[in-house]
Amino acid sequence: MEDAKRDLLGEGSPISLKEIAQNFLVLGTTAFGGPPVHFGMFQERFVERQKWLSSSRYTELIAMANCLPGPSSTQVAFALGVLQQGVLGGLVSGFSFLLPGAILLTLLGFGASSLQDEVEDPKSTANAVAAACSAVGVALVFIAVTGLVKKQVEGAKKGMICFVAASILLVWQPAPQWLNPALILVGGAITAVLPVSDSSNGTSLPPGGRTGLPVAAAIFIFILYMVVASWTIYDNISDRGWLIPFLTAGMFVWGGGPVVLPMLMVSLCKETPGEAPWVSQNIFLMGIAIAEMMPGPVFNLSCFLGVQLALKSGMHWLVGTTLAWLGLVGPGVVLIFGAIPLWDKLRGLRVYQNALPGLNAAAVGLLVQTIFIVYAAMEKKSPWPAGSRAVALCSYAAVDIMKINVPAVVVVAGLAGFLWSVVPGML
């Protein structure tokens, strides 16, 4: 009973709740660039600098999150807190990471109408600043992913698993929702059958940290998820409101923002005879552009959209924003609390220990392909592609070689974007 209480409340952990909150509030205000960058920042801060957990254990968390629907970097943020301080630690770490960006996007949602023309105009200041900051994101993705490759992908077998997985994702576009977890499981199966040398030495994995909930509670979470998922499928057929698309995306979508956002756009921007769409495509696309400039997960776009939808439907803006946010983010967050204790049970099995290098290599492979995706997006959206390439290159040097803080680099890049828009002939 006392052990369960310590797991739930996090008593006696060397990392205090205050430290967890401080660390994740910093990340919540500086983590620009999407999940690959978030993972790299988590690795640098919690694995390399503060030694909260081993690199292998950290990559396990990435693999676990990629096997679940929902925002993977947010799920890892919650999991890091759980390992240190149980359920309460997970709530503190996760919401400290989420809230700064959510608050910013909620505030910006009120000014959406006045910002719309600015962001969409290729020659506007807002568009140029957004493009320059996106170039920093490309550099951060490259730094984060190559860092994980160097640490987790050693040897021919793991290299093959990693880069074949990345290649499949690059060729199979748009990727089906099941492909990410399938590639991770196949990678694990390969090394389970053909173990690599570092997984077959007869040693057990080190303790993985707290698990938060007992196994029975974890099983209950997954049963509850199946019940709610069944209701969501039924309700989605007949419900023409704007809340159910957020819950549907949060319940069923693997692959993060690149998959979730198109799904939401189809549901919320659909035009039917005699009925206006809940959200115009212009507003939705503007929200994506703004969300990409904000720290934290792109799932916080639900706050921006929630404001618009609540105001349009006559609901109080705070209620609508909260419901949209919880609908999109909530299912994946609840699942991570259930997954950690079940995943921890697997760690004691020899077959899992053999599979672990393959699971980790495939999880890194999912991130490798994002380098090409974010670069292609930068080239397509930038009003001055050559300038964006230069900003990305300089940002790489500043962050990875000169060790300049990311917020400072983002500010300088934003100033560069401003200059693009005011110097004649630049755009």
Side-chain angles (χ1 to χ4, degrees):
M1 186 71 179
E2 287 301 313
D3 289 340
K5 181 179 178 182
R6 280 195 295 272
D7 261 352
L8 182 63
L9 300 179
E11 296 173 3
S13 175
I15 307 299
S16 69
L17 291 173
K18 180 180 178 181
E19 289 178 280
I20 292 173
Q22 289 173 339
N23 276 282
F24 280 95
L25 280 172
V26 170
L27 290 167
T29 54
T30 60
F32 298 87
V37 177
H38 302 166
F39 290 141
M41 295 177 78
F42 294 166
Q43 167 96 17
E44 189 277 331
R45 178 176 287 264
F46 301 122
V47 177
E48 298 172 6
R49 196 194 323 163
Q50 300 189 20
K51 312 294 185 185
W52 283 18
L53 70 170
S54 69
S55 181
S56 176
R57 179 62 170 138
Y58 171 66
T59 314
E60 282 185 73
L61 297 182
I62 296 177
M64 178 178 63
N66 276 288
C67 288
L68 300 172
S72 55
S73 62
T74 300
Q75 290 169 319
V76 171
F78 276 89
L80 287 167
V82 169
L83 297 188
Q84 296 300 322
Q85 285 276 16
V87 170
L88 188 56
L91 294 173
V92 170
S93 64
F95 285 112
S96 295
F97 180 64
L98 279 169
L99 285 175
I103 292 170
L104 285 171
L105 280 164
T106 300
L107 295 174
L108 289 171
F110 285 103
S113 298
S114 60
L115 288 173
Q116 180 175 339
D117 294 338
E118 275 288 302
V119 174
E120 291 182 344
D121 182 3
K123 296 185 179 297
S124 71
T125 299
N127 183 274
V129 171
C133 292
S134 296
V136 180
V138 172
L140 296 177
V141 168
F142 182 80
I143 293 168
V145 173
T146 54
L148 284 171
V149 169
K150 292 174 184 177
K151 291 178 175 65
Q152 292 297 325
V153 185
E154 299 174 348
K157 192 176 296 180
K158 288 193 282 187
M160 178 196 70
I161 293 170
C162 174
F163 289 100
V164 168
S167 300
I168 290 173
L169 285 168
L170 286 170
V171 171
W172 199 338
Q173 291 290 332
Q177 297 179 21
W178 53 263
L179 187 57
N180 280 12
L183 289 172
I184 290 176
L185 294 175
V186 169
I190 291 173
T191 56
V193 176
L194 303 170
V196 298
S197 59
D198 61 358
S199 67
S200 55
N201 54 15
T203 60
S204 298
L205 291 173
R210 298 177 186 273
T211 59
L213 294 172
V215 172
I219 294 173
F220 173 77
I221 284 176
F222 277 88
I223 293 174
L224 181 63
Y225 170 82
M226 297 303 296
V227 172
V228 177
S230 301
W231 172 82
T232 302
I233 294 172
Y234 167 77
D235 195 60
N236 194 44
I237 298 173
S238 57
D239 192 331
R240 305 183 69 85
W242 55 267
L243 281 175
I244 198 67
F246 288 96
L247 184 59
T248 302
M251 293 287 293
F252 299 110
V253 174
W254 282 261
V259 180
V260 167
L261 298 185
M263 181 177 180
L264 270 180
M265 188 170 179
V266 169
S267 299
L268 297 177
C269 303
K270 180 171 60 178
E271 296 186 9
T272 56
E275 295 183 14
W278 281 109
V279 178
S280 73
Q281 287 193 4
N282 288 337
I283 288 287
F284 196 99
L285 293 172
M286 182 185 68
I288 294 176
I290 293 174
E292 289 177 347
M293 293 174 60
M294 295 294 107
V298 73
F299 276 54
N300 279 335
L301 176 66
S302 55
C303 296
F304 178 90
L305 296 174
V307 171
Q308 310 299 311
L309 293 164
L311 294 175
K312 183 173 182 178
S313 63
M315 184 182 294
H316 191 280
W317 67 269
L318 183 58
V319 174
T321 301
T322 302
L323 289 175
W325 187 57
L326 291 177
L328 191 61
V329 176
V333 168
V334 173
L335 281 179
I336 202 69
F337 282 98
I340 292 173
L342 298 178
W343 194 278
D344 192 66
K345 289 297 180 183
L346 292 175
R347 302 181 82 247
L349 303 176
R350 170 53 53 187
V351 66
Y352 174 78
Q353 294 172 23
N354 288 338
L356 181 58
L359 292 170
N360 288 349
V364 174
L366 303 188
L367 302 179
V368 168
Q369 56 99 23
T370 62
I371 295 175
F372 300 91
I373 292 174
V374 297
Y375 182 83
M378 179 191 77
E379 288 277 302
K380 181 179 180 180
K381 294 180 181 179
S382 175
W384 188 30
S388 289
R389 294 183 210 118
V391 170
L393 189 63
C394 292
S395 299
Y396 168 79
V399 174
D400 197 51
I401 299 174
M402 302 172 66
K403 308 301 181 185
I404 298 174
N405 289 333
V406 172
V409 177
V410 172
V411 169
V412 172
L415 292 175
F418 174 77
L419 290 176
W420 295 353
S421 65
V422 298
V423 175
M426 296 291 281
L427 298 183

